């Protein structure tokens, strides 16, 4: 096989905590104020990634961002040493400080939208770093994400990394979480499905914000040079957003020709399946696995995160594997659905469960933690090898996490001025482990 799909997981950062920052994300609201376990969080993520690497899948990492984000606080008038900036911000503007301390870049599905070279006009693989402007704590991620992608995919003859879309509400973009690529096989041209919550020019009255706009989807398709015939831009259902599906990947996941989704995921399901069939004509026959509300109520879909699973072509297996969060096994309706599904003769033959509870409590399942990048063999050969997971990197990262990460972090601990130096030392060491250079983070550039 000359083209593979690699998963790049966001490494959970040292400040992982529960601050209740994400409106419309029910888990984030419910768990606000809990004591987090950053070390357990990063180890859970590493174990999930290792499982895929051990199965023979290609696995890499995206590095955490610097948090607390001191440059963000300096821009808002805080002065002094980094520790003084943090101490003053945590004391005088605690909510603002919490927004600058989130480890949210761990949710790599929101890092960027990715179009493989088989789909683009110039034959390069295109990334658009997401602007994530709907939430304050995530709106600071885009520039560092673009820097990371350029450090990992440096060959400009093969990769194009676009900066985030303009930071205007009309262009709200949350990356690959609202994007699905369907295809016969990874290396063949595919159909790119982009899903938005609202039109920027309509009045939005939903219960929760709709984070992705139609205009952002259209801009990304243009920037990536996607063939309009092979691009489908559709609307998420209002009911799904109201029920807590703040990204489409909370109710939908795809792999190869298969789209696995909840009955209430889309505004007009028939229009979506018709459009995909028309776009796929001559390339492949799409396979739709629609989960009825009567079997899995939308509320269960969201608490269990059954759709926020990784749907994988597993080496050596004929049917696909769904790597779901443990919560899917613990929710009666979704466990029963999975049992029936694998017993049938559909495209998904096995379900595995992963413990990513630290991330799940903030609304991030297995699919949120990874960014999928389809790479030809030649493209893969140019990827920065320092971020690619093998046994040696796994051992190094595990030891690194155990050395630097706190076991627990309470909301009060977050104000500790020592957290800044601790986190910077961890990330500084990480740049040498991953070969990212000594000027990757702003604190390294002075
Ligand atoms: O953007 N949670 C993230 C979860 C992102 C999940 N990603 C995907 N569905 N692809 C979000 O809502 C919570 C942070 C806090 O409350 O502390 C948070 O940002």
């Amino acid at each position: 096989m000359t083209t593979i799909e690699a998963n790049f997981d966001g490494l959970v950062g040292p400040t992982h905590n529960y601050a209740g920052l994400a409106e419309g994300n029910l888990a984030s609201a419910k768990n606000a104020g809990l004591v987090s376990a950053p070390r357990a969080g990063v180890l859970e993520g590493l174990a999930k990634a290792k499982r895929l690497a051990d199965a023979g899948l290609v696995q890499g990492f995206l590095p955490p961002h610097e948090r607390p984000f001191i440059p963000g606080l300096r821009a808002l008038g805080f002065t002094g040493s980094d520790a003084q900036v943090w101490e003053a911000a945590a004391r005088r503007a605690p909510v603002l400080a919490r927004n600058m301390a989130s480890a949210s870049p761990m949710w790599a599905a929101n890092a960027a939208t990715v179009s493989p070279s088989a789909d683009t006009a110039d034959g390069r693989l295109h990334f658009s770093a997401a602007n994530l402007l709907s939430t304050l704590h995530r709106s600071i991620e885009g520039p560092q994400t673009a820097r990371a992608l350029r450090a990992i995919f440096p060959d400009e003859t093969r990769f194009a990394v676009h900066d985030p879309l303009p930071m205007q509400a009309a262009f709200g973009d949350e990356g690959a979480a609202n994007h699905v690529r369907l295809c016969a096989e990874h290396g063949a041209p595919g159909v790119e499905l982009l899903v938005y919550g609202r039109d920027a020019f309509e009045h939005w009255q939903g219960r929760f914000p709709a984070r992705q706009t139609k205009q952002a989807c259209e801009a990304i398709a243009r920037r990536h040079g996607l063939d309009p015939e092979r691009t489908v831009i559709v609307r998420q259902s209002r009911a799904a957003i109201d029920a807590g599906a703040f990204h489409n990947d909370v109710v939908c996941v795809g792999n190869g020709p298969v789209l696995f989704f909840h009955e209430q995921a889309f505004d007009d399901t028939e229009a979506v399946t018709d459009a995909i069939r028309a776009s796929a004509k001559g390339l492949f026959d799409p396979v739709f696995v629609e989960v009825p509300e009567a079997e899995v109520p939308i509320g269960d879909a969201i608490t269990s995160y059954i759709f926020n699973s990784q749907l994988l072509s597993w080496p050596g297996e004929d049917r696909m594997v769904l790597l779901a969060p443990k919560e899917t096994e613990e929710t009666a309706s979704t466990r029963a659905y999975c049992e029936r599904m694998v017993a049938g003769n559909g495209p998904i033959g096995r379900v595995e469960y992963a413990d990513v509870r630290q991330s799940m409590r903030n609304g991030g399942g297995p699919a949120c933690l990874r960014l999928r990048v389809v790479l030809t063999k030649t493209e893969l050969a140019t990827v920065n090898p320092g971020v690619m997971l093998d046994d040696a990197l796994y051992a190094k990262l595990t030891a690194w996490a155990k050395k630097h990460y706190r076991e627990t972090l309470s909301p009060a601990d977050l104000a500790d001025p020592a957290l800044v130096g601790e986190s910077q030392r961890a990330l500084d060491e990480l740049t040498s482990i991953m070969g990212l250079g000594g000027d990757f983070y702003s604190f390294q550039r002075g």
Side-chain angles (χ1 to χ4, degrees), residues 55 58 66 71 76 78 96 157 162 169 176 185 213 244 247 260 266 284 287 290 302 318 358 365 407:
V58 179
E66 56 190 278
L76 298 171
F78 292 96
L96 191 58
T157 68
H162 301 270
E185 48 176 318
T213 67
H247 292 134
F260 178 55
F266 302 110
F284 61 95
V287 180
E290 180 177 348
I302 287 164
D318 293 340
Q358 285 296 313
E407 228 152 304

Side-chain angles (χ1 to χ4, degrees), residues 19-22 25 28 107 110 137-138 177 211 247 249 362-363 368:
L21 302 174
N25 169 343
S28 156
W107 299 300
N110 306 116
H137 67 296
R138 304 212 65 181
R211 299 192 194 183
H247 292 134
D249 71 359
N362 257 333
C368 295

Side-chain angles (χ1 to χ4, degrees), residues 101-382:
S102 172
S104 54
M106 72 168 83
W107 299 300
N110 306 116
T113 306
V114 188
S115 297
S117 49
D119 295 351
T120 65
D122 68 0
R124 291 190 296 167
L125 190 160
H126 285 247
F127 296 92
S128 278
N131 60 26
L132 294 166
L133 55 77
S134 296
T135 53
L136 175 57
H137 67 296
R138 304 212 65 181
S139 67
I140 55 178
E141 294 178 29
Q144 182 66 16
T145 296
R147 178 181 280 274
L149 293 173
R150 289 183 181 120
I152 295 171
F153 305 96
D155 184 347
E156 290 177 12
T157 68
R158 300 179 197 284
F159 303 112
V161 176
H162 301 270
D163 286 329
L165 289 171
M167 296 297 275
Q168 286 142 2
F171 307 114
D173 171 30
E174 303 264 327
N178 295 316
H179 173 256
V180 183
R181 178 175 188 263
L182 300 174
C183 55
E185 48 176 318
H186 296 311
V191 169
E192 299 207 16
L193 173 69
L194 296 120
V195 187
Y196 63 90
R198 71 186 161 92
D199 186 307
F201 304 117
E202 77 185 328
H203 183 56
W204 179 255
Q205 285 179 307
R207 177 177 175 216
F208 294 131
R211 299 192 194 183
Q212 183 89 25
T213 67
K214 184 181 185 198
Q215 286 66 22
C217 296
E218 291 168 345
I220 287 167
R222 279 192 295 269
R223 288 166 140 202
H224 290 196
L226 299 183
D227 178 351
E229 301 277 306
R230 307 282 188 215
T231 307
V232 177
I233 300 180
V234 300
R235 193 181 185 116
Q236 210 186 345
S237 84
R238 170 80 167 268
I241 300 172
D242 283 356
F246 53 96
H247 292 134
N248 176 62
D249 71 359
V250 174
V251 282
C252 170
V253 61
N255 179 51
V258 178
L259 193 69
F260 178 55
F261 61 98
H262 191 270
E263 182 185 341
Q264 292 186 5
F266 302 110
D267 189 42
D268 182 345
T269 306
E270 206 179 311
V272 173
T273 52
D274 284 352
I276 293 172
R277 270 194 207 98
S279 279
K281 217 177 174 112
L283 293 181
F284 61 95
D285 291 326
V287 180
F288 298 110
V289 182
E290 180 177 348
V291 178
E293 168 76 15
E295 291 183 43
V296 175
I298 185 101
D300 281 4
I302 287 164
T303 45
S304 71
Y305 258 40
I306 178 175
F307 297 99
N308 201 259
S309 300
Q310 290 181 256
L311 185 55
L312 298 155
S313 306
W314 201 267
E317 293 191 30
D318 293 340
R319 297 202 290 164
M320 294 180 192
V321 171
L322 190 74
L323 182 68
K326 274 266 176 213
E327 286 76 355
T328 296
E329 190 178 25
E330 292 161 0
T331 304
S333 66
T334 51
R335 188 184 56 240
Y337 183 87
C338 288
E339 283 167 2
R340 281 197 303 279
M341 175 171 74
V342 301
N345 57 3
I348 304 172
R350 200 157 62 78
V351 180
E352 284 208 13
Y353 296 102
D355 179 356
V356 287
R357 285 188 209 281
Q358 285 296 313
S359 169
M360 279 290 286
R361 287 191 189 124
N362 257 333
C368 295
L369 287 162
R370 58 90 175 102
L371 184 67
R372 297 194 278 188
V373 185
V374 167
L375 294 159
T376 65
K377 257 217 166 95
T378 349
E379 288 163 353
L380 179 60
T382 69

Side-chain angles (χ1 to χ4, degrees), residues 39-53:
R39 190 186 298 173
V42 68
L43 294 175
E44 282 171 8
L46 282 165
K48 175 180 88 67
K50 176 96 169 32
R51 203 152 150 182
L52 268 60

